[in-house]
Amino acid sequence: MTVLVTGGAGYIGSHTLVCLLDLGYEVVVYDNLVNSSVKALRRVEEITGKNLEFVEGDVTDSGALDDLFAKYSIDAVIHFAALKAVGESSQLPLQYYETNVYGSLCLLNAMKKAGVNHFVYSSSATVYGEVNPSPYVETMELGSPSSPYGASKVMVERILADAVRVNPKFRAISLRYFNPIGAHPSGLIGEDPLGVPNNLLPFITQVAVGVRGNLSVFGGDYPTADGTCVRDYLHVMDLAEGHVAAIDWLAEQSNFNGVEAFNLGTGTGVSVLEIIASFEAATCQKINFEIVERRAGDLPAFWANAEKADKVLNWQAKRSLSEMMEDAWRWQSKNPNGFS
Ligand SMILES: NC(=O)c1ccc[n+]([C@@H]2O[C@H](COP(=O)([O-])OP(=O)(O)OC[C@H]3O[C@@H](n4cnc5c(N)ncnc54)[C@H](O)[C@@H]3O)[C@@H](O)[C@H]2O)c1
């Protein structure tokens, strides 16, 4: 089976490529490298001992997408390509909607023309918005996320619901990720944010490796056990395996026409202070931090109900918090400046 992976050079995409190649899938990566490096793809080849096809291009370029589907015989698509910084999306809303929504439309149209009918979409826990209580369950109504980033994920989920309705052969899965962290255990690939990291763990590892001075913990007065924000952190390799489970499930359904959403998380909430303590315990590195004002837009706490993915896809997040920390640290300490 040949899988087109948009955004495959990025953090989650590159880890998913490892799983796909290890299991014998052929992969074609399509990425404009705006937030990634072609070195990640070479490292994926090094880890797996397999070759992949790479086409540099933009998901908003319909002509290039048509050429791509004409050149390769694609069976299924995993669509990671997107802009993902929640805060930045409020500064650059049009750019975010263009890449995340219009780019998805261009891809879906190109798939339709080429007769490719299996689609796995990178959605996010942000689609539950600000009012749903945790744990989040897939049966909840989609919320109204305040950021253009979150809104773009809701919009594409709605577009998929309409697209499957009018094409009886089309089937899709929206994977709603919680908080992926960690890295491939080889230390060859990992998260490599451009500039100041928006996410907690890359910030912690950059402090530990000496690239940043100290960590600001945003808010110590939330209504949580220790006052800091609580999230559902899962190992990026577990998340990557969820994509293979999704691709396989779509291929196995004989008469399925529709879109299914699945939460990919551990089902457990962990606070910022617990993450710091866990990182220090797993790596023997000391993290200097201070608790500062809350950051606009952060919710106090959310985590997944991951029972549907377990029951339907036979997928579970298996790796421990200390594995997440050890693997993230191996990546950062071997590559203090990421891929550059
Ligand atoms: N990392 C997270 O915490 C998280 C959580 C929930 C959902 N997601 C979603 O998962 C997906 C992958 O996230 P990630 O963390 O790997 O991000 P990433 O930035 O590392 O990867 C995204 C990839 O898409 C590429 N890309 C961006 N715009 C493109 C365009 N116009 N054309 C072609 N390629 C383009 C980038 O170069 C990059 O390689 C995104 O859709 C993101 O919104 C991520």
Side-chain angles (χ1 to χ4, degrees):
M1 190 196 290
T2 302
V3 183
L4 171 65
V5 183
T6 74
Y11 173 47
I12 306 168
S14 57
H15 289 79
T16 302
L17 294 178
V18 171
C19 293
L20 289 167
L21 290 168
D22 276 347
L23 288 165
Y25 295 87
E26 306 281 325
V27 298
V28 179
V29 174
Y30 186 76
D31 198 306
N32 68 357
L33 303 176
V34 70
N35 195 34
S36 54
S37 163
V38 77
K39 283 185 197 157
L41 300 176
R42 301 289 86 92
R43 298 267 183 99
V44 165
E45 292 182 323
E46 189 181 336
I47 293 168
T48 60
K50 307 255 176 73
N51 293 326
L52 54 82
E53 293 286 321
F54 171 55
V55 177
E56 188 170 342
D58 199 294
V59 281
T60 60
D61 185 343
S62 293
L65 288 169
D66 288 342
D67 293 346
L68 186 73
F69 283 102
K71 179 166 180 197
Y72 298 98
S73 174
I74 304 291
D75 299 294
V77 176
I78 305 180
H79 180 36
F80 291 107
L83 298 175
K84 66 163 182 178
V86 177
E88 184 189 62
S89 74
S90 296
Q91 312 304 315
L92 302 170
L94 300 186
Q95 205 170 316
Y96 271 69
Y97 288 124
E98 181 172 358
T99 300
N100 296 6
V101 181
Y102 176 65
S104 299
L105 284 171
C106 292
L107 180 61
L108 290 167
N109 274 319
M111 287 176 66
K112 191 169 166 223
K113 279 195 232 167
V116 178
N117 289 313
H118 294 187
F119 187 73
V120 175
Y121 176 59
S122 289
S123 189
S124 164
T126 66
V127 299
Y128 290 104
E130 284 155 31
V131 291
N132 280 312
S134 275
Y136 291 156
V137 189
E138 292 88 344
T139 47
M140 289 170 166
E141 289 278 315
L142 294 184
S144 306
S146 54
S147 71
Y149 169 78
S152 75
K153 294 288 170 189
V154 171
M155 286 176 195
V156 175
E157 286 214 17
R158 298 210 46 169
I159 289 167
L160 289 176
D162 289 333
V164 295
R165 216 169 26 77
V166 294
N167 179 354
K169 289 193 179 146
F170 186 57
R171 50 183 72 166
I173 283 184
S174 288
L175 296 177
R176 296 176 181 164
Y177 312 157
F178 282 69
N179 291 66
I181 57 174
H184 187 269
S186 63
L188 286 171
I189 55 172
E191 190 167 5
D192 182 21
L194 271 185
V196 182
N198 289 303
N199 293 340
L200 177 61
L201 207 70
F203 209 111
I204 289 179
T205 57
Q206 289 194 5
V207 169
V209 87
V211 174
R212 311 217 166 261
N214 71 337
L215 170 73
S216 297
V217 174
F218 298 111
D221 57 351
Y222 284 101
T224 58
D226 62 21
T228 63
C229 287
V230 166
R231 297 287 180 270
D232 184 337
Y233 295 94
L234 78 161
H235 198 294
V236 68
M237 289 305 298
D238 281 326
L239 182 59
E241 287 167 8
H243 293 77
V244 181
I247 285 287
D248 287 348
W249 187 82
L250 287 177
E252 283 157 14
Q253 307 312 302
S254 44
N255 291 314
F256 173 68
N257 164 234
V259 55
E260 287 288 338
F262 294 95
N263 290 338
L264 296 186
T266 62
T268 306
V270 177
S271 75
V272 176
L273 295 185
E274 287 171 324
I275 286 285
I276 296 170
S278 165
F279 181 81
E280 290 184 336
T283 65
C284 300
Q285 300 295 312
K286 178 93 192 85
I287 297 301
N288 294 323
F289 69 90
E290 58 171 336
I291 295 181
V292 300
E293 290 292 296
R294 292 180 181 195
R295 186 170 61 175
D298 280 342
L299 296 181
F302 61 85
W303 60 94
N305 173 318
E307 286 169 17
K308 184 178 174 191
D310 183 3
K311 241 182 253 157
V312 179
L313 302 178
N314 192 25
W315 174 90
Q316 307 85 25
K318 297 190 183 106
R319 293 161 176 89
S320 67
L321 202 53
S322 64
E323 270 176 284
M324 301 180 210
M325 302 303 155
E326 285 161 19
D327 291 339
W329 179 232
R330 191 176 303 105
W331 151 253
Q332 186 75 75
S333 51
K334 283 174 87 166
N335 306 272
N337 300 309
F339 290 110
S340 55

